[in-house]
Every structure is written in structure tokens, then in C-alpha cells.
Amino acid sequence: MISRCSIQLIQQAELPAISTHVQICLACHTTFIIFSCLRVSCIFFRFLSFPIMNTLVLRKPRCLSIESRPEPQPFPGEVLLTVVACAICRTDAVMWWQGHRDLVFPRVLGHEICARRHGDPVGQYYAVWPGNACGTCSRCRSGNEHLCQSMRITGFHRDGGFGELLSASEKNLLPVPSALSPELAALAEPLGCAVHALGRSRVSAGERLLVYGAGTLGLFLASSASVRGAKVSIADPDPEKLIKSRDLQRCFNISPCFTSDGSL
Ligand SMILES: [Zn+2]
Ligand SMILES: [Zn+2]
């Protein structure tokens, strides 16, 4: 499910759910006070003429709110971006439901992002790599920056793409080919995970591969393996997922495995 991050579209697509959660939260006196303070802070920012932006903030598990916040100020080496599309990852849903060990509230979620440079409304799209490694430790220097102990991930440790603007490191910007829509380009990060896993598994043309799980990553894995020439089957305990992904299975010549009881 993709959400364009202009605030108008967020409101159209998500507001009923958010209103519900806001109502639940308003039953809690503490949260009500927080919301009151936020309204004051919004007026405060406007009074001081800080440029502000709209964001979707997770204040605590199951409590999302649309808030005005000051525009992010890029650190050295970073650039200010306008978010064009931001996918909702399964991890975002889990964080909304129960939080996450790396998450400090309140937080603007969103780590699967496509954006443009701020002030360049017709310019190049970029997929934004969400990892921010230290670049100096032994793991970073040996090309294993994904194992960096100081890794800070956009949308986890720092604010992410569910806002109008985002500050990101210049070196994290991957130019998107012009034929690719921003909604698809936002999926570069999970696709990259699937392609990396495939590389490690050394699946080659002509080999038979069974992918268990027809969610986003399973479908990326299956379609990428098929492009490499593998003979791919896909199974899922939930037959509904196999039915929903039929078009993609046909497109990439993937065989679904249906069983009467959902087992393999
Ligand atoms: Zn994700
Ligand atoms: Zn490092």
C-alpha cells in the first residue's frame, strides 16, 4: 500500500483511521494534555515565523496524529528533500501497533521513500537509502556498513518520510530512471533486500526455487529469481495472498502452491 505524502492525500486516505485513534487517545487525560500543547506549539512556530510542514507523527503505539512541525534543518552533507511517495512497510504497521526497540517517541515514521530536492518541483526523483552508518568503524570500512553498531535509520532513529519534507545525506540519494513512477521507486529499499538475499543464496538459471510467503518481500524475491531464470513456485498459509498476487505471478511466470489446509 503506497501513500503519497502530500498532506491532502494523507488526509483523504488515512484520516478516518487517524480520527478513530485520536478519539481513543482523547479518552486518556495525559494524551489530551499533549495534544493541547501541540496546538500551542503550532501557534508558537507560526508566531516566530519558522517555516513549518505537515507531518504524520506516531506519539505512542496506536496513536497517530497530523501535526505541524518546523521544517528540518539539514546537517552538513545533507540536503532538504520534498517527499513525493513513501510506502507503508509491514514494520511501520508493527511499530504503530507495539513500538520497536529502536524507536523513540514521538517519531515521524516512513523509511521507503522517493523524493525530490526541495524547491525543484520538476526535477530528478531519488530513492532515499534510509541507513546512516558511521562510515569510520571496521565494519563500515570493510564494506559491511549494514552491520555498523552506530547505524541510525531514517524513520526509526530519526524522522522519516511521512512528512512533507525530509533531510537526508546527499550520498544516500539514488537517482530514479525517468520511466519509473515515484510510487514504485519508493520500493527500492525492500527490493534491494530481496535482491541481496538472492545473491547470497546463489540461485542460478534453471534451478527450482520455492518461496514461502507471498507478502511484499516474498513477491520481490520470487519475481527477481524468475528474472534470473529460476523456476519459481510460491506458497503462503493464507491463500488470499496468493489470489491477490495472481497478476504478478502471471507476469513473472511464478507458480502458486495452493493446499487445502494452507500447509506446504
Ligand atoms: Zn521496511
Ligand atoms: Zn560504522
Side-chain angles (χ1 to χ4, degrees), residues 89 91 111-112 189:
C89 176
T91 309
H111 56 274
E112 297 173 4
E189 187 262 349

mmCIF file of all heavy atoms in Angstrom, residues 89 91 111-112 189, ligand 1:
data_model
loop_
_atom_site.group_PDB
_atom_site.id
_atom_site.type_symbol
_atom_site.label_atom_id
_atom_site.label_comp_id
_atom_site.label_asym_id
_atom_site.label_seq_id
_atom_site.Cartn_x
_atom_site.Cartn_y
_atom_site.Cartn_z
ATOM 1 N N CYS A 89 5.557 0.190 5.139
ATOM 2 C CA CYS A 89 6.176 -1.119 5.325
ATOM 3 C C CYS A 89 5.433 -1.881 6.425
ATOM 4 O O CYS A 89 4.806 -1.289 7.296
ATOM 5 C CB CYS A 89 7.642 -0.912 5.711
ATOM 6 S SG CYS A 89 8.529 -2.415 6.104
ATOM 7 N N THR A 91 6.860 -3.210 8.786
ATOM 8 C CA THR A 91 7.499 -2.770 10.035
ATOM 9 C C THR A 91 6.824 -1.511 10.572
ATOM 10 O O THR A 91 6.699 -1.333 11.785
ATOM 11 C CB THR A 91 9.001 -2.502 9.798
ATOM 12 O OG1 THR A 91 9.563 -3.632 9.146
ATOM 13 C CG2 THR A 91 9.725 -2.263 11.104
ATOM 14 N N HIS A 111 10.312 4.758 5.930
ATOM 15 C CA HIS A 111 11.710 4.557 5.525
ATOM 16 C C HIS A 111 11.831 4.067 4.084
ATOM 17 O O HIS A 111 12.926 3.772 3.636
ATOM 18 C CB HIS A 111 12.397 3.576 6.485
ATOM 19 C CG HIS A 111 11.699 2.252 6.596
ATOM 20 N ND1 HIS A 111 10.665 2.040 7.485
ATOM 21 C CD2 HIS A 111 11.856 1.099 5.923
ATOM 22 C CE1 HIS A 111 10.230 0.800 7.354
ATOM 23 N NE2 HIS A 111 10.930 0.205 6.403
ATOM 24 N N GLU A 112 10.700 3.967 3.357
ATOM 25 C CA GLU A 112 10.747 3.563 1.943
ATOM 26 C C GLU A 112 10.282 4.778 1.138
ATOM 27 O O GLU A 112 9.101 4.991 0.918
ATOM 28 C CB GLU A 112 9.864 2.334 1.731
ATOM 29 C CG GLU A 112 10.376 1.141 2.541
ATOM 30 C CD GLU A 112 9.463 -0.068 2.513
ATOM 31 O OE1 GLU A 112 8.442 -0.028 1.799
ATOM 32 O OE2 GLU A 112 9.766 -1.046 3.207
ATOM 33 N N GLU A 189 14.096 0.097 -1.526
ATOM 34 C CA GLU A 189 14.750 -0.471 -0.334
ATOM 35 C C GLU A 189 14.346 -1.932 -0.097
ATOM 36 O O GLU A 189 15.223 -2.801 0.006
ATOM 37 C CB GLU A 189 14.448 0.414 0.885
ATOM 38 C CG GLU A 189 15.211 0.025 2.139
ATOM 39 C CD GLU A 189 14.383 -0.822 3.085
ATOM 40 O OE1 GLU A 189 13.156 -0.938 2.890
ATOM 41 O OE2 GLU A 189 14.964 -1.400 4.001
HETATM 42 ZN ZN ZN B 1 10.649 -1.682 5.535
#
